[in-house]
Amino acid sequence: MPIGELRFSSQSPIAVVDSTMNNDETWLWGQIKAEARQDAESEPALASYLYSTILSHSSLERSLSFHLGNKLCSSTLLSTLLYDLFLNAFSTDYGLRSAAVADLRAARERDPACVSFSHCLLNYKGFLACQAHRVAHKLWNESRRPLALALQSRIADVFAVDIHPAARIGKGILFDHATGVVVGETAVIGNNVSILHHVTLGGTGKMCGDRHPKIGDGVLIGAGATILGNVKIGEGAKIGAGSVVLIDVPPRTTAVGNPARLVGGKEKPSQLEDIPGESMDHTSFISEWSDYII
Amino acid sequence: MPIGELRFSSQSPIAVVDSTMNNDETWLWGQIKAEARQDAESEPALASYLYSTILSHSSLERSLSFHLGNKLCSSTLLSTLLYDLFLNAFSTDYGLRSAAVADLRAARERDPACVSFSHCLLNYKGFLACQAHRVAHKLWNESRRPLALALQSRIADVFAVDIHPAARIGKGILFDHATGVVVGETAVIGNNVSILHHVTLGGTGKMCGDRHPKIGDGVLIGAGATILGNVKIGEGAKIGAGSVVLIDVPPRTTAVGNPARLVGGKEKPSQLEDIPGESMDHTSFISEWSDYII
Amino acid sequence: MPIGELRFSSQSPIAVVDSTMNNDETWLWGQIKAEARQDAESEPALASYLYSTILSHSSLERSLSFHLGNKLCSSTLLSTLLYDLFLNAFSTDYGLRSAAVADLRAARERDPACVSFSHCLLNYKGFLACQAHRVAHKLWNESRRPLALALQSRIADVFAVDIHPAARIGKGILFDHATGVVVGETAVIGNNVSILHHVTLGGTGKMCGDRHPKIGDGVLIGAGATILGNVKIGEGAKIGAGSVVLIDVPPRTTAVGNPARLVGGKEKPSQLEDIPGESMDHTSFISEWSDYII
Amino acid sequence: MPIGELRFSSQSPIAVVDSTMNNDETWLWGQIKAEARQDAESEPALASYLYSTILSHSSLERSLSFHLGNKLCSSTLLSTLLYDLFLNAFSTDYGLRSAAVADLRAARERDPACVSFSHCLLNYKGFLACQAHRVAHKLWNESRRPLALALQSRIADVFAVDIHPAARIGKGILFDHATGVVVGETAVIGNNVSILHHVTLGGTGKMCGDRHPKIGDGVLIGAGATILGNVKIGEGAKIGAGSVVLIDVPPRTTAVGNPARLVGGKEKPSQLEDIPGESMDHTSFISEWSDYII
Amino acid sequence: MPIGELRFSSQSPIAVVDSTMNNDETWLWGQIKAEARQDAESEPALASYLYSTILSHSSLERSLSFHLGNKLCSSTLLSTLLYDLFLNAFSTDYGLRSAAVADLRAARERDPACVSFSHCLLNYKGFLACQAHRVAHKLWNESRRPLALALQSRIADVFAVDIHPAARIGKGILFDHATGVVVGETAVIGNNVSILHHVTLGGTGKMCGDRHPKIGDGVLIGAGATILGNVKIGEGAKIGAGSVVLIDVPPRTTAVGNPARLVGGKEKPSQLEDIPGESMDHTSFISEWSDYII
Amino acid sequence: MPIGELRFSSQSPIAVVDSTMNNDETWLWGQIKAEARQDAESEPALASYLYSTILSHSSLERSLSFHLGNKLCSSTLLSTLLYDLFLNAFSTDYGLRSAAVADLRAARERDPACVSFSHCLLNYKGFLACQAHRVAHKLWNESRRPLALALQSRIADVFAVDIHPAARIGKGILFDHATGVVVGETAVIGNNVSILHHVTLGGTGKMCGDRHPKIGDGVLIGAGATILGNVKIGEGAKIGAGSVVLIDVPPRTTAVGNPARLVGGKEKPSQLEDIPGESMDHTSFISEWSDYII
């Protein structure tokens, strides 16, 4: 499947109301409340926090809007204004909610340190930055660009995650740790992608136009990787930590190093069996790589 | 031009009152207000923010002081105190204002994602961190070191940009994205330099003395590059993303890799035609590099 | 000494009340107050900050609890709640206090930019993140995990330092600059370690279990280094800036590059004379490395 | 009309949707926005305030909810929570909105110092306390008593206006200046009543039950008047400033003094021609009173 | 019992540790937590507030210190500092705690609008102002006068209750509604006194020395009463609402009017049967008064 | 001297630069700093507050602007904006500064509870409300009415002192305790007036025009007094606590009661020897009054 299609695959399901997903949302919100209730009971010092952020709300969208409004507000952008903005977006756009649900599931399934959905909802800056970005993206598409850019700026200040509001991001995304992630204006990220901290999807210079990477479905990008220019990272590919990638990476292959090269060689790179964005296997290529290098 | 002079070139014009620049400042401020007014009209949800940060102020220095005071304040360093501090610095030091003007122009010209001057003034953490650093640097030079260090700490907390107040930085600087930038005590950055995020201009250990890099005019430093020790990066040089640079880099050459090597070879490195800090071409050396590596 | 013991060496002294250390704490607190008093006198604009954070308190533990409570609070986690939590932890656990004292000394001795103990106490985000982590770790061990994770999240937001509360960290630690540091759940850091910014001690995928690096006593890890998996970095080893380490590194050797290799070669690596975590010599291997590479 | 009916007259119209009033609300909101826009243009220093409180909102109910949420919030009762609460109440209860409209008109018509509707909406603590009370009263009637009492407490702290949430208050009310007003649990206030500051509608002791005053339609109560016990102040009556009233006051009569007596004598008190709650004539009885006294 | 002794009766029991009272405190705190738990369950929107103020705390003194710290803090007097101050006072001074317990009981018993102890603890500005005053009084007696006066000022701003820190106040006090209460420097208030809002215990001019009223045990002072000068209000006396009292009032008599006179006449005033400060009967003298006047 | 002139007497000296007063200001500021320094030394818990409000400032106008900005700010009216506004007013208008100096002296001389100038500057809500009013009055006169009214509203919320910005107030004013003071639009207060809490200078109804009291120089108005309508209180007159005044009061006479009558009788009222606004003798008329009444 060419990467050109991948980037659009993340858009279409968002617009369609899917009753299965709706049940999904209901189930997940019930789960989150149950987790929060248990935590509140076992830890009175945290109960106030859990009630204000989760237990006092009637839905995931309200909880998330409240939490983002309080996290991203400043003395010149009040929490009430942001809350209103987020609530309006999440209430009217089913796709935003379903993407949030998919992201919560992704964190819970892929990150062994993620002990509960509520933990991700409250504490994962990558998750929160991504949801806030989706609202900024929606505003961008509605031509409310100054507001979208102000939101980007607050996300960058508060979470140290800098995603241009024009960037298109699929569902089931895990931004793990997330500090220092930079995603440029014309970047596209497919579905079920996992991206570690300090990852850059950057441009090539001061020319306008399509100048940022396209990341296929199921890709895993290791910590500190820098991918520059309008290159395509094929679905199911893996980018090693600390790599500097300036070339296309074929589907289900691994690129490592600075500058990055394909494991197994340019001509006949090794093929991955599983989907790295989901299996999160960062290091299985080590022996192979060592062989390759030496 | 030797790098030793470069570092001082950033100082002298700041002290001199230049009436041309004054017109420049006036023009730019008019432009910023016009942009903000248009945004406020098209987006009522942002109007309060735009009025408080830009439209209610009579000058760029007041707007900037207000914005920095509110961004950098904490419960123990009040916004009114910081506002006073910034306003006093910007009002009495023409050089600070002219450097801010040059930085705004740099962002607008070099960064295709920078849609307006007001966008940069309000939302670019690199721009804001740099202006606040200049005030900290001024305090440092006036032997108000505890205050300068407290300011550095606030900038590091709020923007994740950690610049020692003793570091000397020229004009026309673009810190793009900026998260994670670290600049050490004896580092010097020339004019018209562009520095991407996660860049380190670090020291060599625990010895005191001159131990940090000197960056010449017009240099471009790619994302995630680490430059360590009292090395000279000649004017118009380019440092590739993710490079680890421990050696001098001659003017108008490119260093890439970990450890960084000169593109074209140590003996006769390829010469750059344009000024990379201004052209922002991050990736043109790719084909050459690939050749060099393989 | 095998790394397996190293990781426990950081635990035992903390539980024992050591009257020598107690004197140490007293002396250090006196020193900090003297520094703050002098700064307050020379800089009235900072006096309010210095009184509220240091001079109005009767002990280091109160000052630190106050400062952390104010730094880490949010609209949903009040400063008074956090202050109470920190004060209770520091008051009842001598080990936390003695570790804080050792960290203050480490910063003062190893970082030439650290001009005073009070400067470190107030302004070093690495120091503050580490002390807050130790409290989170204590809560984790007391099975107060939701609270420990909420604290981790606040530390990650405010300082851009993301340390899992289960990670075990010794004493005499210097997190220099600290932005972007990520330390995983099963990571262990010995005593007298120095870690620069953007360093990752990461896992290997989505499997649970012991999956993060073990860092021996006296190790120095350069800026931007990424160490992945349950590898052992032997005591007194040095990891070069920007390295990507996927292998064990023997004691007193140096690993550099992406992927990292041992300086001097795998079979007979060069032996370091001093303790790099204390000497902080980041660059002495340069000539050797260059030789090795070419 | 007996006072017993008066107290219910304030309830019924609130529950009925009245399209005429709806137009009224629309017209008034347009007026308020026009006033605010003019003020914002003439006074840039206030524009941010006017945009955040009025001009960025799409309806009176949103503006009022935002303003009350920000005024009444505290560190333990967040503005976002209160905003949500107020918005939900005003959105779903037409009576609350129509009462707010009537109160705005009352202030504009009766208080010569009220220069505009927006002035009243933003700045009149009596108006704001009354609207917040109406929401507390609604909560009380829905058996959400702890929340209603918490709201009462915030209103008492912020505006120094202490109205028990069970107290029933009609429409077209002017609380002028308002500081120090106290209204007890079983008090009833009819429509078109004007009450000055420091007025008490107090109880008679520690017995439960119906123990507070009933104020008829169109009554005017002067500054500092104290009315105690389950007494009836007939419609169109006037209570002089500083009076202490422990007796029923017949319709359209005037009571003055400490203890209060009827002007004109108990047997045949002077009859008022106009409705004092609307005419706001505080002092026309002076000559008569003087005669009466001496 | 002469009033001269009365004023000291409020002091002595405070200094003695009374184990019965200790049980009392334990019982009351259990009661408060039970009430708050029930409210939190029935009203999720308030649960965060109830957990942060009551349910997360281990004792009444911690809850009260937290609540007062958050209520009285300002941008220049931080909540953490005040929390520390209050907690230290309440923890070390049993008398402060036992007085708080007695005041909570007084409100619950005497005020029919006081539906629960937790309601009083959280929402009664009179109760909160009185507890904060007691701490200010303690500071005053310890010669920490600037701090005591700063506290008085915050209480006056936040609760509109202005009590000089030198004023001595007994136990079992009900300040009902409380707005506008003013108590001067040399005023003394006995035990089991009830004081309504707008009551002034004022001085006589600019002379220093003992110049304010002495209020005996069990006195009831009605709303808006003004008592001026070093006059004695005998135990069990009652002062009518709105009275202006410039004379001594014998025990168990009633003074009303402006200027106040004794009900029943100066020579042989009517004797009260019950203790008005406890029975809270504000109006039983009405018929008698009316007779007296006319 | 007719009251008509009195009201202007408060205006003229304010506009003239008086070098004697300038020395006065310098002396007073030195005094305030010395007091604050001594308090900061004796009470470390207050030092931060004293440094931020007084000791870090270079002049009384900066200290006062800072303090008022922080006291009166809200989430929609930022402290930096208010600080700027106050500083601009106090810096450019000598009259505002000289009136503040006179008010500080008045409190110190007349109020025995006022232990120092710094105590008044920091803690007297009457003093602070009056200074803020003077700035609002200046804005009103410059036709910046919406801003003046917003300021009035903040003063009324924060200090419970409600003074219309059009009201003209002289110098050397003591608002003692101040809670609940209301001063209407066309009221005029002369120089050296002392006004206790709960005093109303109110209007007569809904007619526009000159409808509020005119208070001559040196007048003393007791607590809770209500003066209504365009009546003249002659210079050096005294109004008893709790009085309700609807009539002119001749110079140097005393009015008491509800309704107020002249002590000594309407025809030949007793003449006061001293200036009550300065001597603050509230009660010397008691015996005379008693005689008069009975």
Side-chain angles (χ1 to χ4, degrees), chain C residues 62 66 70 79-80 83-84, chain E residues 62 66 70 79-80 83-84:
Chain C
R62 287 191 169 268
F66 176 92
N70 280 300
S79 60
T80 30
Y83 171 70
D84 220 32
Chain E
R62 286 191 169 267
F66 176 92
N70 281 299
S79 60
T80 31
Y83 171 71
D84 221 32

Side-chain angles (χ1 to χ4, degrees), chain F residues 121-136:
Chain F
L121 172 62
L122 293 178
N123 298 332
Y124 271 42
K125 59 201 282 195
F127 171 76
L128 293 168
C130 187
Q131 310 318 308
H133 160 74
R134 288 209 180 91
V135 173

Side-chain angles (χ1 to χ4, degrees), chain D residues 134-149:
Chain D
R134 287 208 181 93
V135 173
H137 181 60
K138 180 182 167 75
L139 293 167
W140 183 266
N141 285 341
E142 295 166 348
S143 295
R144 302 176 69 180
R145 300 194 169 183
L147 188 54
L149 292 168

Side-chain angles (χ1 to χ4, degrees), chain C residues 16-294:
Chain C
V16 180
V17 175
D18 179 338
S19 62
T20 318
M21 277 302 266
N22 228 339
N23 289 343
D24 214 38
E25 199 181 325
T26 307
W27 177 85
L28 189 67
W29 179 238
Q31 199 66 16
I32 286 169
K33 287 201 115 167
E35 293 166 2
R37 195 165 294 113
Q38 190 178 318
D39 287 352
E41 269 160 32
S42 73
E43 180 63 83
L46 207 59
S48 172
Y49 176 67
L50 292 165
Y51 270 97
S52 73
T53 53
I54 293 179
L55 292 165
S56 68
H57 299 283
S58 57
S59 66
L60 178 56
E61 72 211 51
R62 287 191 169 268
S63 167
L64 190 51
S65 300
F66 176 92
H67 199 43
L68 288 174
N70 280 300
K71 283 265 188 189
L72 296 175
C73 70
S74 73
S75 54
T76 48
L77 270 180
L78 295 183
S79 60
T80 30
L81 184 149
L82 292 179
Y83 171 70
D84 220 32
L85 188 73
F86 286 120
L87 187 54
N88 187 51
F90 286 116
S91 301
T92 60
D93 188 335
Y94 169 73
L96 291 176
R97 296 204 305 280
S98 100
V101 166
D103 293 355
L104 284 165
R105 286 190 176 286
R108 188 79 177 86
E109 280 163 21
R110 294 177 214 161
D111 180 1
C114 182
V115 296
S116 67
F117 293 113
S118 62
H119 174 35
C120 178
L121 172 63
L122 293 178
N123 297 332
Y124 272 42
K125 58 201 283 195
F127 171 76
L128 294 168
C130 187
Q131 311 318 307
H133 160 75
R134 288 207 181 92
V135 174
H137 181 61
K138 180 182 167 73
L139 294 168
W140 183 266
N141 286 340
E142 294 166 348
S143 295
R144 302 175 69 181
R145 300 193 170 182
L147 189 53
L149 292 168
L151 217 48
Q152 173 194 10
S153 168
R154 287 305 301 153
I155 301 167
D157 283 4
V158 171
F159 297 123
V161 174
D162 192 345
I163 308 178
H164 193 283
R168 286 181 291 162
I169 298 183
K171 307 197 303 183
I173 305 300
L174 170 61
F175 283 109
D176 202 5
H177 304 297
T179 302
V181 163
V182 171
V183 178
E185 182 175 358
T186 60
V188 178
I189 297 173
N191 295 320
N192 301 316
V193 170
S194 292
I195 292 178
L196 274 282
H197 51 287
H198 301 317
V199 163
T200 297
L201 305 184
T204 44
K206 72 177 185 184
M207 283 78 63
C208 294
D210 197 347
R211 64 196 185 281
H212 295 97
K214 312 293 172 269
I215 310 299
D217 289 356
V219 167
L220 168 66
I221 307 179
T226 304
I227 309 178
L228 297 180
N230 188 358
V231 299
K232 294 180 205 284
I233 309 300
E235 85 274 21
K238 176 154 59 178
I239 308 298
S243 302
V244 176
V245 181
L246 305 159
I247 53 169
D248 284 3
V249 174
R252 292 187 176 265
T253 64
T254 301
V256 293
N258 175 3
R261 287 152 298 182
L262 299 182
V263 170
K266 197 173 176 180
E267 300 310 316
K268 204 171 161 246
S270 310
Q271 289 291 306
L272 294 164
E273 298 290 316
D274 58 2
I275 301 172
E278 295 179 6
S279 65
M280 299 292 288
D281 179 352
H282 296 215
T283 49
S284 66
F285 55 86
I286 296 176
S287 57
E288 203 176 348
W289 190 15
S290 304
D291 294 351
Y292 175 73
I293 290 165
I294 299 166

Side-chain angles (χ1 to χ4, degrees), chain F residues 80-89 135 139 144 147 151:
Chain F
T80 29
L81 184 149
L82 292 179
Y83 171 70
D84 221 32
L85 189 73
F86 286 121
L87 187 54
N88 187 51
V135 173
L139 293 167
R144 301 176 69 181
L147 189 53
L151 217 48

Side-chain angles (χ1 to χ4, degrees), chain D residues 76-94:
Chain D
T76 48
L77 270 180
L78 296 184
S79 61
T80 30
L81 186 147
L82 292 179
Y83 170 70
D84 221 31
L85 190 72
F86 286 121
L87 187 55
N88 187 51
F90 286 116
S91 300
T92 59
D93 189 334
Y94 169 72

Side-chain angles (χ1 to χ4, degrees), chain B residues 47-277:
Chain B
S48 172
Y49 176 65
L50 292 165
Y51 270 96
S52 74
T53 53
I54 292 179
L55 291 167
S56 68
H57 298 283
S58 57
S59 65
L60 178 57
E61 73 212 49
R62 286 191 170 266
S63 168
L64 190 51
S65 300
F66 176 93
H67 199 44
L68 288 173
N70 280 301
K71 284 263 188 191
L72 296 175
C73 71
S74 74
S75 54
T76 48
L77 269 180
L78 296 183
S79 60
T80 30
L81 184 148
L82 292 179
Y83 170 70
D84 222 31
L85 189 72
F86 286 121
L87 186 54
N88 187 50
F90 286 116
S91 301
T92 60
D93 189 335
Y94 168 73
L96 291 176
R97 295 203 306 279
S98 100
V101 166
D103 293 356
L104 283 166
R105 288 190 175 285
R108 188 78 178 86
E109 280 163 21
R110 294 178 214 161
D111 181 1
C114 182
V115 295
S116 67
F117 293 114
S118 61
H119 174 36
C120 178
L121 172 62
L122 293 178
N123 298 332
Y124 271 42
K125 58 202 282 195
F127 171 76
L128 294 168
C130 187
Q131 311 318 307
H133 160 74
R134 288 209 180 92
V135 173
H137 181 61
K138 181 182 167 75
L139 294 167
W140 184 266
N141 286 340
E142 292 166 352
S143 295
R144 302 176 71 179
R145 299 194 170 184
L147 188 53
L149 292 167
L151 217 47
Q152 174 194 10
S153 167
R154 287 305 301 153
I155 300 167
D157 283 4
V158 172
F159 298 123
V161 173
D162 192 344
I163 308 177
H164 194 283
R168 287 180 287 162
I169 298 183
K171 307 197 301 182
I173 305 300
L174 170 61
F175 283 109
D176 201 6
H177 305 297
T179 301
V181 163
V182 171
V183 178
E185 182 174 358
T186 60
V188 177
I189 297 173
N191 295 322
N192 303 316
V193 170
S194 293
I195 293 178
L196 274 282
H197 51 287
H198 300 318
V199 163
T200 297
L201 306 183
T204 45
K206 73 176 185 184
M207 283 77 60
C208 293
D210 196 347
R211 65 199 185 279
H212 295 95
K214 312 293 173 269
I215 310 301
D217 288 356
V219 167
L220 167 66
I221 307 179
T226 304
I227 308 178
L228 297 180
N230 188 358
V231 298
K232 294 181 206 278
I233 309 301
E235 86 273 20
K238 175 153 59 177
I239 308 298
S243 303
V244 176
V245 182
L246 303 159
I247 53 168
D248 283 3
V249 175
R252 294 187 174 263
T253 64
T254 302
V256 293
N258 175 3
R261 288 154 297 184
L262 298 183
V263 171
K266 198 174 176 179
E267 299 312 315
K268 207 176 158 237
S270 310
Q271 290 290 307
L272 293 163
E273 297 291 316
D274 58 1
I275 301 172

